[in-house]
Amino acid sequence: MKKLLRALLTVAVAVAMLPYQVVYADDPPYSDTGYWNDYCTTKGNTSTSACKAYIEYLSSQSESSKNRLDEIEAEREQIAADISKYDAQLKQLQTQIDEMQVKIDEKQAEINEMQGRINDKQAEIDAKQVQIDETQAQVDALEEKVKKRMVASQSTMHFNQYLDILMGASSFQDLLRIASGLISITQYDEKTLNDLEALRLQLSEEKKQLEKAKAELEEAKKKMEEAKQELIEQQNELLLTQAQQQVILEEYQKQYAKLQAESNNISSNIAAISEAMRRLAEAGTLDDVITAAGWTYPVPGAYISAGTWAYPGGALHLGEDFAASVGTAILAAGNGVVLNSANGCPTYGGLGSTCGTQYGGLIGGGNMVTLLVSVNGSLYGMNYCHMMLGSPIAAGTVVTAGMQIGAVGSSGNSSGPHCHIEVYYLGDASNFSAYASSWNGDMGFGTGWYTSARRCDAGAGIPCRIRPESVFGG
């Protein structure tokens, strides 16, 4: 049980992990560490249950890895006791992870270069073998020619007894040695013999070069295998460091969800908001909002770093995280009006930051926008959090689907650039104007927070929270 718990708590990085399942180390074969290291250090794959089981496999194969995982687990209680001080440690771990990734990339480039040299050396060896085969063919042909001419010269001589001696030689080399003492050989074409000897020397040199090239190839392969092993060790260290980082994130996410539930979550700007909505209603502007025909994707080019309803570690997560670079445009998902806008937090927040409430937003939500939109004839509330400083559109602005309402940042409680989006189903859109003008500032739209939050997919009636993935995918 302890082993299973350790595997659950030490999954490698990402805020986009699936619920834990037991996956045994024998199925699939985690001994192929090259494959699994590549797979589990790729963004988007690190969260799978297979990678969790691979972490467990690593600990079972290495005493040092097992000790490291035990140390990480021992840190959990300390982290839970005082999460606020771990922001700096988290940033330090991220720096280490970034440095490790640079080393891994450099090592991979080195391996690729080695493979290129090995391929070149193999091509050189293949070319030398062809050259040797050609030279051998020339030697064989010339030897055969010498033999025939020696036999022919013997037929004109009057000491045929020497022919028996020559033909009785055990090898061609013996034949040459014996024949060299015969008068008939001294009359033989010396150029042919010299050519033959030169070819034999050339063949011997080519064979030496081939053996040298083969030895160099084996040495290059040995060095590449050493580099591959070093790469695997670096990737293992990266996975363990990511697991340590994940423990901190998981513990904070649990505490933050409780903190958010305990906070008021009523905008402090409600008086100004109500006045703005009243003026819009009196002018008939809100009645002019036409329902959008379908949803507009809110953060073009983003990838999903965490989903709804839980973080990878199991902590409650009431929205979908769209990760993108700072400054990426955030769009209105439907036609509607900005109910609330909070602006004033630094673009870069950090783990544990509560910035947001002092500017009329959610605790830790950073710079954010709350929208009321009409899509496909239905009424929805939406929260967009963690925007870049100065980017949130002003409260009271009437928007159309696809209109920019802010830019991606990392303000408030955020460990990296992304936009956290929550969606609330509020019923029929025919009461759009009435709902907007009477909104009480509750940024949860009456659905509650934490584990008691009203969820549409759990059977809750209007109002209820829906999974953003159900309309945006992810």
Side-chain angles (χ1 to χ4, degrees):
M1 185 66 184
K2 181 179 178 182
K3 183 179 181 182
L4 178 58
L5 179 61
R6 182 170 64 249
L8 175 61
L9 297 178
T10 54
V11 57
V13 63
V15 184
M17 295 186 289
L18 301 173
Y20 182 78
Q21 304 174 29
V22 176
V23 179
Y24 295 99
D26 292 335
D27 184 22
Y30 293 106
S31 56
D32 186 357
T33 54
Y35 169 80
W36 285 104
N37 274 309
D38 288 342
Y39 179 81
C40 292
T41 53
T42 299
K43 187 184 293 294
N45 293 337
T46 53
S47 61
T48 65
S49 55
C51 289
K52 295 180 183 181
Y54 177 58
I55 290 284
E56 180 181 1
Y57 171 80
L58 288 180
S59 69
S60 69
Q61 298 298 306
S62 168
E63 186 64 27
S64 61
S65 293
K66 180 179 181 298
N67 293 339
R68 174 76 178 280
L69 293 177
D70 289 340
E71 290 172 0
I72 292 172
E73 172 55 24
E75 285 183 359
R76 182 175 289 277
E77 292 184 6
Q78 298 176 11
I79 292 168
D82 187 5
I83 192 68
S84 61
K85 71 179 182 180
Y86 282 89
D87 186 29
Q89 182 179 355
L90 190 68
K91 290 178 179 178
Q92 182 180 10
L93 286 173
Q94 187 59 56
T95 298
Q96 292 176 11
I97 288 171
D98 292 342
E99 291 174 349
M100 287 178 191
Q101 191 61 59
V102 169
K103 289 182 180 179
I104 286 173
D105 292 342
E106 290 175 347
K107 185 57 65 175
Q108 186 62 62
E110 179 184 338
I111 289 173
N112 293 343
E113 184 181 353
M114 287 181 177
Q115 186 63 61
R117 291 201 298 268
I118 286 174
N119 294 342
D120 291 343
K121 184 58 68 174
Q122 185 63 59
E124 178 186 339
I125 288 173
D126 294 342
K128 285 185 180 298
Q129 187 62 59
V130 170
Q131 185 178 359
I132 285 173
D133 292 343
E134 292 175 351
T135 304
Q136 183 68 59
Q138 293 179 45
V139 169
D140 293 343
L142 200 53
E143 285 183 347
E144 184 62 26
K145 181 179 179 182
V146 169
K147 286 181 180 179
K148 290 179 178 180
R149 291 185 62 178
M150 289 181 65
V151 171
S153 67
Q154 288 296 319
S155 63
T156 63
M157 296 182 182
H158 301 289
F159 42 89
N160 291 333
Q161 67 269 25
Y162 288 120
L163 181 61
D164 295 333
I165 296 174
L166 290 171
M167 294 300 99
S170 60
S171 67
F172 186 72
Q173 285 73 24
D174 286 343
L175 185 148
L176 290 178
R177 179 178 54 80
I178 296 171
S180 65
L182 301 176
I183 296 175
S184 62
I185 297 301
T186 63
Q187 299 172 346
Y188 186 70
D189 185 356
E190 291 186 7
K191 183 179 184 302
T192 301
L193 293 175
N194 290 337
D195 288 346
L196 178 59
E197 184 61 23
L199 280 173
R200 291 175 58 76
L201 290 174
Q202 179 182 332
L203 181 62
S204 175
E205 182 60 29
E206 287 174 354
K207 287 182 177 180
K208 288 180 181 178
Q209 291 176 3
L210 177 63
E211 291 305 312
K212 180 181 178 182
K214 286 182 177 180
E216 290 173 350
L217 177 63
E218 290 306 312
E219 182 64 23
K221 287 181 177 179
K222 179 181 177 182
K223 288 182 178 179
M224 188 171 74
E225 288 306 313
E226 291 173 352
K228 284 183 177 179
Q229 185 58 41
E230 187 177 345
L231 175 63
I232 289 173
E233 291 172 359
Q234 289 176 349
Q235 289 174 322
N236 289 348
E237 180 63 21
L238 173 62
L239 288 171
L240 292 170
T241 303
Q242 289 172 331
Q244 184 177 6
Q245 180 193 52
Q246 190 62 31
V247 166
I248 297 175
L249 286 171
E250 288 172 5
E251 283 305 313
Y252 179 73
Q253 287 156 359
K254 292 175 184 176
Q255 293 194 23
Y256 176 75
K258 293 179 182 178
L259 180 63
Q260 189 177 50
E262 293 168 357
S263 67
N264 194 352
N265 293 310
I266 300 296
S267 174
S268 60
N269 299 329
I270 186 59
I273 292 168
S274 297
E275 177 61 21
M277 292 302 113
R278 185 189 63 79
R279 289 197 303 269
L280 289 172
E282 287 181 353
T285 304
L286 297 179
D287 294 324
D288 294 334
V289 173
I290 301 173
T291 188
W295 293 90
T296 295
Y297 197 77
V299 188
Y303 70 90
I304 307 306
S305 59
T308 320
W309 302 102
Y311 281 108
L316 186 69
H317 187 228
L318 297 176
E320 186 175 19
D321 288 348
F322 295 77
S325 58
V326 170
T328 300
I330 299 173
L331 311 179
N335 299 335
V337 64
V338 179
L339 292 178
N340 189 39
S341 179
N343 184 44
C345 297
T347 293
Y348 294 93
L351 185 67
S353 170
T354 59
C355 191
T357 53
Q358 63 269 55
Y359 301 106
L362 291 170
I363 181 171
N367 307 311
M368 62 174 290
V369 164
T370 301
L371 286 184
L372 183 69
V373 297
S374 176
V375 180
N376 295 328
S378 295
L379 188 64
Y380 299 91
M382 298 186 68
N383 281 321
Y384 295 74
C385 302
H386 311 302
M387 293 183 176
M388 184 171 68
L389 176 63
S391 70
I393 195 169
T397 304
V398 175
V399 300
T400 55
M403 179 177 171
Q404 183 168 347
I405 59 172
V408 172
S410 188
S411 56
N413 175 50
S414 173
S415 58
H418 73 287
C419 183
H420 171 91
I421 295 178
E422 297 175 4
V423 183
Y424 311 82
Y425 176 57
L426 306 175
D428 194 292
S430 61
N431 67 342
F432 186 94
S433 178
Y435 191 101
S437 57
S438 63
W439 185 58
N440 65 1
D442 179 7
M443 288 174 283
F445 294 89
T447 63
W449 303 89
Y450 199 44
T451 54
S452 60
R454 296 169 55 84
R455 290 170 43 184
C456 300
D457 61 1
I462 300 168
C464 59
R465 292 172 175 266
I466 68 172
R467 298 180 74 242
E469 293 93 323
S470 67
V471 292
F472 301 126

